[in-house]
Amino acid sequence: MLVVALAAGAVVAASGVGIGLWATSDDGGPAGSAASRSGDTAGSPSGEPEPSPTRSYPLSRAPRTIPAVRDHGAERGPGWRPERGHRVVVGDPALADEGRLVAGELGLTYAGEKGDERAGDLRLELNRGKGANPESYTMTVRGGRVTVSAPAEAGVFYGTRTLKQQVRGAGTAPEGVVRDEPAKQRRGMMLDIARKHFTADWIEDRIRELGDLKFNELGLHFSDDQSFRVESDTHPEIVSDPHLTKAQVKRIVDLAASRHITVVPEIDSPGHLGAVLAAHPGLQLRNAGGGAVRGAIDISDPASAEIVDDLLDEYAKLFPGSQWHLGADEYQALVVPDPEASFPGLAAAARKKHGPGATVEDLATSWLNDRADTVRAHGRTLRAWNDGFFEGGSVRAAKDIQVAYWTGKEIGARQPADYLGEGREVLNYNDEFLYYVLGEPNDFVYPTGERIYEQWTPRVLRGTTAVPSRYDGQILGGSFAVWCDLSGAQSQDQVAAGIRMPLRATAQKLWDPAEPTLSWAEFRSLADEVD
């Protein structure tokens, strides 16, 4: 029997390498000694007795997953391998969805709420601690059973993702205790479904992929100059074909919620409204010479606000998540040398609304604030692109609008530290690393996972330079973005293949602030093992 035990231990030892420099205890305090983090000393970090026998097994190594777990307390034991007849049991009915999902994925029996313990059980529990990160979790593999506990359902779900990946890659979850949580609270992918129609099935596949990588946002940019891609009841005249029906969107939103992913809608305004303006040409902005300005709505016309607010109110019911993207980038009235001379109607409206010294920038900021008021009434947290925030002027963007920082290449673009210095919260969409632009126009090149993995961090907001570490707490997270400027350049399948490794690298860098312990080649190989 000793030979068998040693062989089983060797499987556990081969299942990963000791990684992670951080831990918290179940009550939110520090946990895990240097020895437990490095994986070279036996014993439970919680001080509990070691499992028996202790001499038959080598010390376990940390699970090998993407993103990597941040702390693993090594122990001696055989680990856990799913087998037919093993149960998934839950300690709270709120975990039924997570339990059924992981049971199906691992070929186990979902048994619901049970108080007894059996060999091979996977138990999911809620441990609602005050002040604890709801996305944190503890996974304990000991005595032939696994327990995943967390303060909220999201954390339990992430624990099951760790278990799923580890079992898929190595067959066995190693003995010991994982304590894990994300470094950044917003971890997303944004998808431009306005310029290119993606099928509902394809989007649902991406949601499953994102969930397994512990992302928690999917942005949908569904209105732009080319098309408007979601069914509308208030303004059906603006909707393009093909498009997503509301029933399809509801299924997408529901699937995302089951993976603890928030769908973040974006109706960009006052620019990028070409599809709306095609049906309402009287609202299109015109310059002093009478020329129509592509994609720009006339923000001096009250009817413009009315139609956009109609849409915001309508889609707030369809997208019930906590987050909302207001757009606000690239309003073409503000890319000319003298907006007041080029657009005297906007200049007059600005002075009428905000006083004799007001500018077109002030009017645009007022538009942003008014749209924010509309969406805020639905209880959403707001964000807008960084080039929709202007320096100076008599009107300032509302303080609660988060900055989605995407570029420093636009005319008059401000440095990230400008926003951070104002105390604003920022989300990282850095176009130098995180923009996958179909067809590679305007000097864009397809981002690589290797470059993200080796060079990017959430503090690298613009170009390749990181902002000072004192601002780290204001950077809420980031998002990889798929833009479809030349929509025919790639098929859906090509997009999925092209973003596969960049998504995994982004997930790693948003979850764990430490320098990765794996080389890029090792990370890429790991992705093939656990996918």
Side-chain angles (χ1 to χ4, degrees), residues 234-293:
T234 62
H235 291 282
E237 73 280 359
I238 70 174
V239 179
S240 309
D241 283 320
H243 62 266
L244 297 175
T245 67
K246 286 192 171 182
Q248 288 173 322
V249 171
K250 186 178 186 304
R251 286 196 296 273
I252 287 168
V253 168
D254 289 347
L255 177 64
S258 75
R259 266 63 174 179
H260 300 277
I261 293 170
T262 298
V263 179
V264 185
E266 181 194 357
I267 301 175
D268 204 347
S269 79
H272 293 282
L273 282 171
V276 173
L277 294 170
H280 297 271
L283 299 179
Q284 186 148 26
L285 179 66
R286 295 183 178 274
N287 60 27
V293 182

Short mmCIF file of all heavy atoms in Angstrom, two decimals, residues 234-293:
data_model
loop_
_atom_site.label_atom_id
_atom_site.label_comp_id
_atom_site.label_asym_id
_atom_site.label_seq_id
_atom_site.Cartn_x
_atom_site.Cartn_y
_atom_site.Cartn_z
N THR A 234 -39.07 51.40 -28.24
CA THR A 234 -39.36 52.84 -28.27
C THR A 234 -38.99 53.47 -29.60
O THR A 234 -39.64 54.41 -30.06
CB THR A 234 -38.62 53.57 -27.14
OG1 THR A 234 -37.20 53.42 -27.32
CG2 THR A 234 -39.02 53.04 -25.78
N HIS A 235 -37.94 52.95 -30.24
CA HIS A 235 -37.49 53.50 -31.53
C HIS A 235 -37.07 52.38 -32.47
O HIS A 235 -35.89 52.24 -32.81
CB HIS A 235 -36.34 54.50 -31.32
CG HIS A 235 -36.76 55.75 -30.63
ND1 HIS A 235 -37.43 56.78 -31.28
CD2 HIS A 235 -36.66 56.13 -29.34
CE1 HIS A 235 -37.69 57.75 -30.42
NE2 HIS A 235 -37.24 57.38 -29.24
N PRO A 236 -38.02 51.58 -32.92
CA PRO A 236 -37.67 50.45 -33.81
C PRO A 236 -37.06 50.91 -35.13
O PRO A 236 -36.37 50.12 -35.78
CB PRO A 236 -39.02 49.75 -34.03
CG PRO A 236 -40.06 50.79 -33.72
CD PRO A 236 -39.48 51.63 -32.64
N GLU A 237 -37.28 52.17 -35.49
CA GLU A 237 -36.78 52.67 -36.77
C GLU A 237 -35.25 52.76 -36.82
O GLU A 237 -34.66 52.86 -37.91
CB GLU A 237 -37.38 54.05 -37.06
CG GLU A 237 -36.85 55.21 -36.22
CD GLU A 237 -37.45 55.30 -34.82
OE1 GLU A 237 -38.30 54.46 -34.49
OE2 GLU A 237 -37.05 56.22 -34.07
N ILE A 238 -34.58 52.72 -35.69
CA ILE A 238 -33.13 52.87 -35.67
C ILE A 238 -32.40 51.53 -35.73
O ILE A 238 -31.18 51.50 -35.91
CB ILE A 238 -32.65 53.64 -34.42
CG1 ILE A 238 -32.84 52.80 -33.15
CG2 ILE A 238 -33.37 54.98 -34.31
CD1 ILE A 238 -32.26 53.44 -31.90
N VAL A 239 -33.12 50.43 -35.59
CA VAL A 239 -32.49 49.11 -35.41
C VAL A 239 -32.04 48.55 -36.76
O VAL A 239 -32.78 48.59 -37.74
CB VAL A 239 -33.45 48.15 -34.71
CG1 VAL A 239 -32.80 46.77 -34.55
CG2 VAL A 239 -33.86 48.70 -33.35
N SER A 240 -30.82 48.01 -36.79
CA SER A 240 -30.23 47.44 -38.00
C SER A 240 -30.49 45.94 -38.05
O SER A 240 -30.81 45.30 -37.05
CB SER A 240 -28.72 47.68 -37.99
OG SER A 240 -28.41 49.04 -37.76
N ASP A 241 -30.33 45.40 -39.24
CA ASP A 241 -30.36 43.95 -39.43
C ASP A 241 -29.01 43.47 -39.93
O ASP A 241 -28.43 44.13 -40.79
CB ASP A 241 -31.46 43.55 -40.41
CG ASP A 241 -32.84 43.58 -39.77
OD1 ASP A 241 -32.97 43.17 -38.60
OD2 ASP A 241 -33.78 44.04 -40.42
N PRO A 242 -28.52 42.36 -39.41
CA PRO A 242 -29.09 41.58 -38.31
C PRO A 242 -28.86 42.26 -36.96
O PRO A 242 -28.02 43.14 -36.84
CB PRO A 242 -28.33 40.26 -38.39
CG PRO A 242 -27.01 40.64 -38.96
CD PRO A 242 -27.27 41.76 -39.92
N HIS A 243 -29.63 41.81 -35.96
CA HIS A 243 -29.49 42.37 -34.62
C HIS A 243 -29.89 41.31 -33.60
O HIS A 243 -30.47 40.27 -33.95
CB HIS A 243 -30.35 43.62 -34.46
CG HIS A 243 -31.82 43.36 -34.61
ND1 HIS A 243 -32.47 43.52 -35.81
CD2 HIS A 243 -32.77 42.93 -33.72
CE1 HIS A 243 -33.75 43.22 -35.66
NE2 HIS A 243 -33.96 42.85 -34.40
N LEU A 244 -29.59 41.58 -32.34
CA LEU A 244 -30.03 40.71 -31.26
C LEU A 244 -31.44 41.09 -30.85
O LEU A 244 -31.75 42.28 -30.68
CB LEU A 244 -29.10 40.83 -30.05
CG LEU A 244 -27.65 40.41 -30.24
CD1 LEU A 244 -26.85 40.71 -28.97
CD2 LEU A 244 -27.53 38.94 -30.61
N THR A 245 -32.29 40.09 -30.67
CA THR A 245 -33.62 40.36 -30.14
C THR A 245 -33.51 40.57 -28.62
O THR A 245 -32.52 40.18 -27.99
CB THR A 245 -34.57 39.19 -30.41
OG1 THR A 245 -34.13 38.05 -29.66
CG2 THR A 245 -34.61 38.85 -31.90
N LYS A 246 -34.54 41.15 -28.05
CA LYS A 246 -34.52 41.31 -26.60
C LYS A 246 -34.54 39.96 -25.89
O LYS A 246 -33.93 39.82 -24.81
CB LYS A 246 -35.71 42.17 -26.15
CG LYS A 246 -35.52 43.65 -26.48
CD LYS A 246 -36.55 44.51 -25.78
CE LYS A 246 -36.22 45.99 -25.95
NZ LYS A 246 -37.17 46.87 -25.23
N ALA A 247 -35.20 38.98 -26.46
CA ALA A 247 -35.19 37.65 -25.86
C ALA A 247 -33.78 37.08 -25.85
O ALA A 247 -33.36 36.45 -24.86
CB ALA A 247 -36.14 36.72 -26.63
N GLN A 248 -33.03 37.27 -26.93
CA GLN A 248 -31.65 36.81 -26.96
C GLN A 248 -30.79 37.54 -25.94
O GLN A 248 -29.96 36.93 -25.26
CB GLN A 248 -31.07 36.99 -28.36
CG GLN A 248 -31.63 36.03 -29.40
CD GLN A 248 -31.17 36.34 -30.81
OE1 GLN A 248 -31.06 37.51 -31.19
NE2 GLN A 248 -30.88 35.31 -31.58
N VAL A 249 -31.00 38.85 -25.84
CA VAL A 249 -30.23 39.62 -24.86
C VAL A 249 -30.54 39.14 -23.44
O VAL A 249 -29.64 39.02 -22.61
CB VAL A 249 -30.52 41.13 -25.01
CG1 VAL A 249 -29.90 41.91 -23.84
CG2 VAL A 249 -29.98 41.64 -26.33
N LYS A 250 -31.80 38.86 -23.17
CA LYS A 250 -32.16 38.39 -21.83
C LYS A 250 -31.45 37.08 -21.52
O LYS A 250 -30.96 36.87 -20.39
CB LYS A 250 -33.67 38.22 -21.70
CG LYS A 250 -34.10 37.87 -20.27
CD LYS A 250 -35.61 37.75 -20.14
CE LYS A 250 -36.01 37.54 -18.68
NZ LYS A 250 -35.33 36.38 -18.05
N ARG A 251 -31.37 36.17 -22.50
CA ARG A 251 -30.65 34.92 -22.27
C ARG A 251 -29.17 35.18 -22.02
O ARG A 251 -28.55 34.53 -21.16
CB ARG A 251 -30.84 33.97 -23.46
CG ARG A 251 -32.23 33.35 -23.53
CD ARG A 251 -32.28 32.15 -24.46
NE ARG A 251 -32.01 32.50 -25.84
CZ ARG A 251 -32.93 32.90 -26.71
NH1 ARG A 251 -34.20 33.00 -26.33
NH2 ARG A 251 -32.62 33.18 -27.95
N ILE A 252 -28.60 36.13 -22.76
CA ILE A 252 -27.19 36.49 -22.56
C ILE A 252 -26.99 37.05 -21.16
O ILE A 252 -26.05 36.66 -20.45
CB ILE A 252 -26.76 37.51 -23.64
CG1 ILE A 252 -26.61 36.81 -24.99
CG2 ILE A 252 -25.46 38.21 -23.25
CD1 ILE A 252 -26.48 37.77 -26.17
N VAL A 253 -27.87 37.95 -20.76
CA VAL A 253 -27.76 38.57 -19.43
C VAL A 253 -27.92 37.51 -18.34
O VAL A 253 -27.18 37.51 -17.34
CB VAL A 253 -28.79 39.70 -19.28
CG1 VAL A 253 -28.90 40.16 -17.83
CG2 VAL A 253 -28.43 40.88 -20.19
N ASP A 254 -28.87 36.60 -18.52
CA ASP A 254 -29.11 35.57 -17.50
C ASP A 254 -27.93 34.61 -17.41
O ASP A 254 -27.52 34.21 -16.31
CB ASP A 254 -30.39 34.79 -17.82
CG ASP A 254 -31.65 35.62 -17.58
OD1 ASP A 254 -31.54 36.68 -16.94
OD2 ASP A 254 -32.72 35.20 -18.05
N LEU A 255 -27.38 34.20 -18.56
CA LEU A 255 -26.21 33.32 -18.54
C LEU A 255 -25.04 34.02 -17.86
O LEU A 255 -24.33 33.43 -17.04
CB LEU A 255 -25.82 32.91 -19.96
CG LEU A 255 -24.57 32.04 -20.07
CD1 LEU A 255 -24.77 30.69 -19.38
CD2 LEU A 255 -24.17 31.85 -21.53
N ALA A 256 -24.84 35.29 -18.19
CA ALA A 256 -23.76 36.06 -17.57
C ALA A 256 -23.94 36.12 -16.06
O ALA A 256 -22.98 35.92 -15.29
CB ALA A 256 -23.68 37.46 -18.16
N ALA A 257 -25.16 36.38 -15.62
CA ALA A 257 -25.42 36.45 -14.17
C ALA A 257 -25.10 35.13 -13.48
O ALA A 257 -24.60 35.11 -12.36
CB ALA A 257 -26.86 36.86 -13.93
N SER A 258 -25.38 34.03 -14.16
CA SER A 258 -25.09 32.72 -13.56
C SER A 258 -23.59 32.50 -13.40
O SER A 258 -23.17 31.66 -12.61
CB SER A 258 -25.70 31.60 -14.41
OG SER A 258 -24.95 31.37 -15.59
N ARG A 259 -22.80 33.24 -14.17
CA ARG A 259 -21.33 33.19 -14.05
C ARG A 259 -20.79 34.40 -13.29
O ARG A 259 -19.60 34.66 -13.30
CB ARG A 259 -20.70 33.16 -15.44
CG ARG A 259 -20.38 31.78 -15.99
CD ARG A 259 -21.58 30.92 -16.19
NE ARG A 259 -21.21 29.64 -16.85
CZ ARG A 259 -22.08 28.69 -17.12
NH1 ARG A 259 -23.36 28.83 -16.81
NH2 ARG A 259 -21.68 27.57 -17.70
N HIS A 260 -21.67 35.14 -12.65
CA HIS A 260 -21.30 36.33 -11.87
C HIS A 260 -20.60 37.37 -12.73
O HIS A 260 -19.65 38.02 -12.30
CB HIS A 260 -20.48 35.92 -10.64
CG HIS A 260 -21.24 35.01 -9.74
ND1 HIS A 260 -22.14 35.48 -8.80
CD2 HIS A 260 -21.30 33.66 -9.68
CE1 HIS A 260 -22.70 34.46 -8.19
NE2 HIS A 260 -22.21 33.34 -8.72
N ILE A 261 -21.11 37.50 -13.95
CA ILE A 261 -20.62 38.49 -14.91
C ILE A 261 -21.71 39.53 -15.13
O ILE A 261 -22.86 39.19 -15.39
CB ILE A 261 -20.26 37.82 -16.24
CG1 ILE A 261 -19.05 36.89 -16.06
CG2 ILE A 261 -19.97 38.85 -17.33
CD1 ILE A 261 -18.76 36.02 -17.26
N THR A 262 -21.34 40.80 -15.00
CA THR A 262 -22.26 41.90 -15.27
C THR A 262 -22.13 42.30 -16.73
O THR A 262 -21.02 42.54 -17.22
CB THR A 262 -21.93 43.11 -14.39
OG1 THR A 262 -22.08 42.76 -13.02
CG2 THR A 262 -22.83 44.29 -14.71
N VAL A 263 -23.24 42.36 -17.45
CA VAL A 263 -23.24 42.88 -18.81
C VAL A 263 -23.34 44.40 -18.73
O VAL A 263 -24.29 44.93 -18.16
CB VAL A 263 -24.38 42.29 -19.65
CG1 VAL A 263 -24.36 42.87 -21.07
CG2 VAL A 263 -24.26 40.77 -19.70
N VAL A 264 -22.34 45.09 -19.30
CA VAL A 264 -22.25 46.55 -19.23
C VAL A 264 -22.63 47.12 -20.59
O VAL A 264 -21.86 47.04 -21.55
CB VAL A 264 -20.83 47.01 -18.86
CG1 VAL A 264 -20.78 48.52 -18.68
CG2 VAL A 264 -20.35 46.30 -17.59
N PRO A 265 -23.83 47.70 -20.73
CA PRO A 265 -24.25 48.24 -22.02
C PRO A 265 -23.62 49.60 -22.28
O PRO A 265 -23.32 50.35 -21.35
CB PRO A 265 -25.78 48.36 -21.87
CG PRO A 265 -25.98 48.57 -20.41
CD PRO A 265 -24.88 47.83 -19.70
N GLU A 266 -23.44 49.90 -23.56
CA GLU A 266 -22.97 51.23 -23.95
C GLU A 266 -23.76 51.74 -25.15
O GLU A 266 -23.74 51.12 -26.22
CB GLU A 266 -21.48 51.23 -24.30
CG GLU A 266 -20.99 52.63 -24.67
CD GLU A 266 -19.63 52.63 -25.35
OE1 GLU A 266 -19.02 51.55 -25.49
OE2 GLU A 266 -19.17 53.72 -25.75
N ILE A 267 -24.48 52.84 -24.93
CA ILE A 267 -25.04 53.62 -26.04
C ILE A 267 -24.21 54.89 -26.08
O ILE A 267 -24.38 55.79 -25.26
CB ILE A 267 -26.53 53.93 -25.83
CG1 ILE A 267 -27.33 52.64 -25.71
CG2 ILE A 267 -27.05 54.80 -26.97
CD1 ILE A 267 -28.80 52.87 -25.38
N ASP A 268 -23.26 54.95 -27.00
CA ASP A 268 -22.32 56.06 -27.06
C ASP A 268 -23.04 57.32 -27.52
O ASP A 268 -23.82 57.29 -28.47
CB ASP A 268 -21.19 55.71 -28.03
CG ASP A 268 -19.91 56.47 -27.75
OD1 ASP A 268 -19.95 57.43 -26.97
OD2 ASP A 268 -18.87 56.09 -28.32
N SER A 269 -22.78 58.43 -26.83
CA SER A 269 -23.31 59.72 -27.24
C SER A 269 -22.44 60.81 -26.60
O SER A 269 -21.79 60.56 -25.59
CB SER A 269 -24.78 59.88 -26.80
OG SER A 269 -24.88 60.23 -25.43
N PRO A 270 -22.38 62.01 -27.18
CA PRO A 270 -23.16 62.52 -28.32
C PRO A 270 -22.56 62.21 -29.68
O PRO A 270 -23.12 62.59 -30.71
CB PRO A 270 -23.16 64.03 -28.06
CG PRO A 270 -21.85 64.30 -27.41
CD PRO A 270 -21.58 63.10 -26.55
N GLY A 271 -21.41 61.52 -29.72
CA GLY A 271 -20.86 61.05 -30.98
C GLY A 271 -21.24 59.61 -31.22
O GLY A 271 -21.92 58.97 -30.41
N HIS A 272 -20.80 59.07 -32.36
CA HIS A 272 -21.03 57.66 -32.70
C HIS A 272 -22.51 57.30 -32.71
O HIS A 272 -22.89 56.18 -32.35
CB HIS A 272 -20.27 56.75 -31.73
CG HIS A 272 -18.78 56.86 -31.87
ND1 HIS A 272 -18.07 56.25 -32.88
CD2 HIS A 272 -17.85 57.52 -31.12
CE1 HIS A 272 -16.78 56.53 -32.76
NE2 HIS A 272 -16.63 57.31 -31.70
N LEU A 273 -23.35 58.23 -33.14
CA LEU A 273 -24.80 57.99 -33.19
C LEU A 273 -25.32 57.93 -34.63
O LEU A 273 -26.50 58.19 -34.89
CB LEU A 273 -25.54 59.08 -32.42
CG LEU A 273 -25.53 58.95 -30.90
CD1 LEU A 273 -26.11 60.21 -30.24
CD2 LEU A 273 -26.32 57.73 -30.43
N GLY A 274 -24.44 57.56 -35.56
CA GLY A 274 -24.83 57.58 -36.97
C GLY A 274 -26.04 56.74 -37.29
O GLY A 274 -26.88 57.12 -38.11
N ALA A 275 -26.18 55.57 -36.66
CA ALA A 275 -27.32 54.71 -36.96
C ALA A 275 -28.62 55.34 -36.48
O ALA A 275 -29.67 55.21 -37.13
CB ALA A 275 -27.13 53.35 -36.30
N VAL A 276 -28.58 56.03 -35.35
CA VAL A 276 -29.77 56.75 -34.86
C VAL A 276 -30.09 57.92 -35.79
O VAL A 276 -31.25 58.16 -36.15
CB VAL A 276 -29.54 57.24 -33.42
CG1 VAL A 276 -30.70 58.12 -32.97
CG2 VAL A 276 -29.36 56.05 -32.47
N LEU A 277 -29.05 58.63 -36.21
CA LEU A 277 -29.26 59.82 -37.04
C LEU A 277 -29.72 59.48 -38.46
O LEU A 277 -30.39 60.30 -39.10
CB LEU A 277 -27.96 60.64 -37.09
CG LEU A 277 -27.55 61.25 -35.75
CD1 LEU A 277 -26.15 61.82 -35.83
CD2 LEU A 277 -28.54 62.32 -35.33
N ALA A 278 -29.39 58.28 -38.92
CA ALA A 278 -29.86 57.89 -40.25
C ALA A 278 -31.38 57.86 -40.29
O ALA A 278 -32.00 58.15 -41.33
CB ALA A 278 -29.30 56.51 -40.60
N ALA A 279 -32.00 57.54 -39.15
CA ALA A 279 -33.47 57.54 -39.07
C ALA A 279 -34.02 58.89 -38.62
O ALA A 279 -35.22 59.13 -38.74
CB ALA A 279 -33.93 56.45 -38.11
N HIS A 280 -33.16 59.76 -38.11
CA HIS A 280 -33.57 61.08 -37.61
C HIS A 280 -32.58 62.14 -38.09
O HIS A 280 -31.88 62.78 -37.29
CB HIS A 280 -33.64 61.07 -36.08
CG HIS A 280 -34.67 60.13 -35.53
ND1 HIS A 280 -35.99 60.51 -35.31
CD2 HIS A 280 -34.59 58.82 -35.17
CE1 HIS A 280 -36.66 59.48 -34.84
NE2 HIS A 280 -35.84 58.44 -34.74
N PRO A 281 -32.52 62.35 -39.40
CA PRO A 281 -31.50 63.26 -39.95
C PRO A 281 -31.64 64.70 -39.46
O PRO A 281 -30.66 65.45 -39.46
CB PRO A 281 -31.72 63.16 -41.46
CG PRO A 281 -33.12 62.65 -41.62
CD PRO A 281 -33.36 61.77 -40.45
N GLY A 282 -32.81 65.10 -39.01
CA GLY A 282 -32.99 66.46 -38.52
C GLY A 282 -32.23 66.75 -37.25
O GLY A 282 -32.05 67.92 -36.87
N LEU A 283 -31.76 65.68 -36.56
CA LEU A 283 -31.01 65.86 -35.32
C LEU A 283 -29.50 65.86 -35.54
O LEU A 283 -28.74 66.02 -34.58
CB LEU A 283 -31.37 64.75 -34.32
CG LEU A 283 -32.84 64.70 -33.89
CD1 LEU A 283 -33.06 63.54 -32.92
CD2 LEU A 283 -33.27 66.01 -33.26
N GLN A 284 -29.06 65.70 -36.79
CA GLN A 284 -27.63 65.64 -37.05
C GLN A 284 -27.00 67.01 -36.91
O GLN A 284 -27.54 68.03 -37.34
CB GLN A 284 -27.36 65.10 -38.46
CG GLN A 284 -25.89 64.86 -38.76
CD GLN A 284 -25.69 63.70 -39.71
OE1 GLN A 284 -26.57 63.38 -40.49
NE2 GLN A 284 -24.54 63.05 -39.64
N LEU A 285 -25.84 67.04 -36.27
CA LEU A 285 -25.10 68.29 -36.11
C LEU A 285 -24.58 68.77 -37.47
O LEU A 285 -24.08 67.97 -38.26
CB LEU A 285 -23.92 68.07 -35.16
CG LEU A 285 -23.03 69.29 -34.91
CD1 LEU A 285 -23.79 70.38 -34.17
CD2 LEU A 285 -21.77 68.87 -34.14
N ARG A 286 -24.70 70.09 -37.69
CA ARG A 286 -24.17 70.70 -38.90
C ARG A 286 -23.26 71.85 -38.52
O ARG A 286 -23.50 72.56 -37.55
CB ARG A 286 -25.31 71.18 -39.81
CG ARG A 286 -26.15 70.02 -40.34
CD ARG A 286 -27.25 70.44 -41.29
NE ARG A 286 -27.97 69.27 -41.77
CZ ARG A 286 -27.61 68.52 -42.82
NH1 ARG A 286 -26.52 68.87 -43.50
NH2 ARG A 286 -28.30 67.47 -43.18
N ASN A 287 -22.21 72.02 -39.32
CA ASN A 287 -21.26 73.09 -39.02
C ASN A 287 -21.75 74.42 -39.59
O ASN A 287 -22.85 74.51 -40.15
CB ASN A 287 -19.86 72.74 -39.53
CG ASN A 287 -19.84 72.51 -41.04
OD1 ASN A 287 -20.66 73.06 -41.79
ND2 ASN A 287 -18.90 71.70 -41.50
N ALA A 288 -20.93 75.45 -39.42
CA ALA A 288 -21.35 76.80 -39.84
C ALA A 288 -21.66 76.88 -41.32
O ALA A 288 -22.48 77.71 -41.75
CB ALA A 288 -20.25 77.80 -39.48
N GLY A 289 -21.06 76.02 -42.12
CA GLY A 289 -21.33 76.00 -43.55
C GLY A 289 -22.49 75.10 -43.95
O GLY A 289 -22.78 74.96 -45.14
N GLY A 290 -23.15 74.48 -42.97
CA GLY A 290 -24.28 73.61 -43.26
C GLY A 290 -23.92 72.16 -43.51
O GLY A 290 -24.80 71.33 -43.78
N GLY A 291 -22.64 71.82 -43.39
CA GLY A 291 -22.21 70.45 -43.63
C GLY A 291 -22.55 69.54 -42.46
O GLY A 291 -22.37 69.91 -41.29
N ALA A 292 -23.05 68.34 -42.78
CA ALA A 292 -23.38 67.37 -41.74
C ALA A 292 -22.11 66.78 -41.15
O ALA A 292 -21.14 66.52 -41.87
CB ALA A 292 -24.25 66.25 -42.32
N VAL A 293 -22.11 66.59 -39.84
CA VAL A 293 -20.96 66.04 -39.13
C VAL A 293 -21.24 64.58 -38.79
O VAL A 293 -22.19 64.29 -38.05
CB VAL A 293 -20.66 66.86 -37.85
CG1 VAL A 293 -19.43 66.29 -37.14
CG2 VAL A 293 -20.46 68.32 -38.18
#
